[in-house]
């Protein structure tokens, strides 16, 4: 059974792309087949995996346009393979025009879902790197997903932004995708040298921890993370034994564990 997860937060620069890549490559390391989707017109994921968005002639924008126009195309045409074992559905700046066209399309919230229904059987996990907005492309990602991971810097978590995001997720759940759930909040760029970091982290855990899963693994702030995306590879290839790689390895375990629990629960409910 494929698990589709959106990595989403409308706040910019919180580690969505970095998390999509390193969780994705982590899942490959654990033996899973993984597709990463670049659902951002900035195409940072495409670049950070070493591909040039300007050379992408058939990526997510073309796939979505193809679905809008009901064109027949080979469904895996757009998929690139990365040497670290993940597949990538790349993007480019044209996604912003596509997003405008989505507005007037039939079934506009479900275009990405329609595509993923055709290819999902080839993967165990599909991770969607969302753009920093709650526009139509993000709504498409949420409608296509089983769950959402929200990367967030600790000192922003209590801000209104999270409320807006929860509101959007609740709306998608109500109207488009009743099974959508929040997989968890991931604390990113955690600067352990900061004065109140531990206090903020435990305050958040006591404030939200009951209602939303906050991952035990926290991603530390480290220049290694930024270096690895500049080099077009994951943190495991760049700094295998470093603290960021370790933290993403732990996150990968938590995500796999969460998926197994969910599967067991579904099975038990079906038996009943
Ligand atoms: P956007 O909203 O623009 O899509 P994003 O949420 O996807 O941003 P990233 O691109 O993953 O965020 O990260 C923002 C910047 O911070 C990048 O330059 C990235 O290399 C860097 N970065 C990511 N994680 C870390 C970390 N743990 N420590 C230090 N720098 C990091
Ligand atoms: Mg990004």
């Amino acid at each position: 059974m494929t698990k589709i997860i959106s990595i989403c937060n409308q706040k910019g620069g919180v580690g969505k792309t970095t998390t999509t890549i390193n969780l994705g490559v982590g899942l490959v390391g654990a033996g899973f087949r993984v597709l990463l989707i670049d659902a951002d017109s900035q195409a940072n994921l495409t670049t950070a995996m070493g591909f040039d968005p300007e050379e992408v002639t058939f990526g997510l924008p073309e796939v979505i346009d193809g679905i809008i126009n009901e064109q027949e195309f080979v469904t895996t045409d757009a998929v690139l393979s990365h040497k670290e074992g993940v597949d990538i559905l790349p993007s480019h700046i044209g996604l912003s025009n596509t997003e405008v066209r989505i507005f007037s399309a039939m079934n506009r919230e479900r275009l990405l879902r329609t595509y993923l229904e055709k290819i999902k059987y080839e993967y165990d996990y599909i991770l969607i790197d969302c753009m920093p907005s709650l526009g139509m492309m993000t709504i498409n990602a949420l409608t296509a997903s089983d769950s959402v991971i929200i990367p967030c810097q600790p000192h922003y978590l209590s801000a209104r932004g999270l409320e807006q995001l929860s509101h959007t997720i609740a709306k998608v759940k109500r109207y488009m995708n009743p099974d959508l759930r929040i997989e968890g909040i991931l604390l990113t760029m955690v600067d352990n040298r900061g004065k109140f970091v531990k206090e903020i982290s435990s305050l958040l855990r006591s404030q939200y921890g009951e209602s939303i899963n906050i991952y035990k693994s926290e991603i530390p702030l480290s220049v290694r993370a930024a270096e690895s995306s500049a080099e077009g590879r994951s943190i495991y290839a760049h700094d295998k034994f470093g603290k960021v790689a370790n933290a993403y390895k732990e996150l990968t375990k938590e995500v796999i564990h969460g998926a197994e629990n969910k599967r067991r629960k579904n099975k038990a409910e079906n038996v009943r």
Side-chain angles (χ1 to χ4, degrees):
M1 228 172 71
T2 315
K3 179 138 197 195
I4 306 177
I5 307 175
S6 277
I7 317 296
C8 186
N9 189 339
Q10 78 277 22
K11 182 155 176 50
V14 293
K16 295 182 285 294
T17 303
T18 307
T19 298
T20 309
I21 292 170
N22 294 314
L23 174 59
V25 175
L27 287 166
V28 167
F32 295 103
R33 298 165 303 163
V34 179
L35 173 68
L36 308 181
I37 300 182
D38 190 346
D40 184 356
S41 52
Q42 300 177 98
N44 288 342
L45 182 132
T46 304
T47 312
M49 290 310 269
F51 298 99
D52 181 355
E54 286 190 15
E55 286 176 12
V56 172
T57 50
F58 199 87
L60 182 63
E62 288 72 26
V63 163
I64 299 290
D65 283 333
I67 300 282
I68 293 176
N69 300 325
E70 296 182 14
Q71 280 163 358
E72 288 292 328
F73 52 86
V74 180
T75 44
T76 48
D77 263 0
V79 172
L80 303 172
S81 354
H82 188 270
K83 55 179 179 293
E84 290 184 62
V86 281
D87 277 357
I88 296 162
L89 176 52
S91 196
H92 56 77
I93 186 74
L95 191 65
S96 44
N97 287 333
T98 299
E99 203 178 14
V100 175
R101 285 192 284 278
I102 291 178
F103 265 101
S104 48
M106 283 279 268
N107 221 357
R108 60 184 183 177
E109 292 88 1
R110 292 179 195 275
L111 302 169
L112 182 59
R113 190 181 178 113
T114 307
Y115 174 69
L116 294 188
E117 268 161 13
K118 295 178 207 264
I119 63 158
K120 68 179 184 184
Y121 304 100
E122 304 198 16
Y123 299 99
D124 300 304
Y125 284 90
I126 298 178
L127 307 182
I128 310 174
D129 179 25
C130 293
M131 61 175 93
S133 91
L134 296 173
M136 278 320 289
M137 198 58 237
T138 300
I139 302 282
N140 263 268
L142 293 174
T143 303
S145 293
D146 298 301
S147 61
V148 193
I149 292 178
I150 307 172
C152 195
Q153 284 172 271
H155 44 286
Y156 286 117
L157 186 53
S158 47
R160 262 189 61 208
L162 198 66
E163 246 172 70
Q164 257 179 12
L165 179 57
S166 318
H167 189 66
T168 302
I169 292 172
K171 259 193 179 159
V172 170
K173 209 171 143 75
R174 191 168 337 127
Y175 297 113
M176 259 85 69
N177 182 6
D179 297 328
L180 179 67
R181 54 187 203 93
I182 297 180
E183 183 90 25
I185 292 177
L186 172 68
L187 300 180
T188 54
M189 301 184 206
V190 178
D191 184 357
N192 286 314
R193 295 162 311 175
K195 230 177 164 184
F196 301 111
V197 171
K198 287 225 162 59
E199 285 84 342
I200 295 174
S201 166
S202 52
L203 183 72
L204 291 173
R205 285 175 193 284
S206 61
Q207 224 171 36
Y208 292 102
E210 289 272 298
S211 50
I212 305 181
N213 171 38
I214 301 180
Y215 289 108
K216 285 196 204 78
S217 24
E218 297 179 0
I219 312 300
L221 182 76
S222 160
V223 68
R224 297 270 179 257
E227 286 169 1
S228 74
S229 35
E231 288 186 356
R233 52 193 192 164
S234 78
I235 193 68
Y236 311 108
H238 179 66
D239 185 30
K240 194 173 175 185
F241 301 107
K243 54 186 184 175
V244 176
N246 267 339
Y248 275 115
K249 251 182 245 163
E250 290 306 311
L251 172 71
T252 305
K253 283 187 208 157
E254 284 191 70
V255 170
I256 295 170
H257 187 70
E260 278 167 2
N261 278 348
K262 183 87 199 330
R263 239 166 254 153
R264 240 174 265 135
K265 212 173 136 202
N266 281 351
K267 231 184 193 172
E269 273 168 13
N270 287 343
V271 169
R272 244 182 274 144

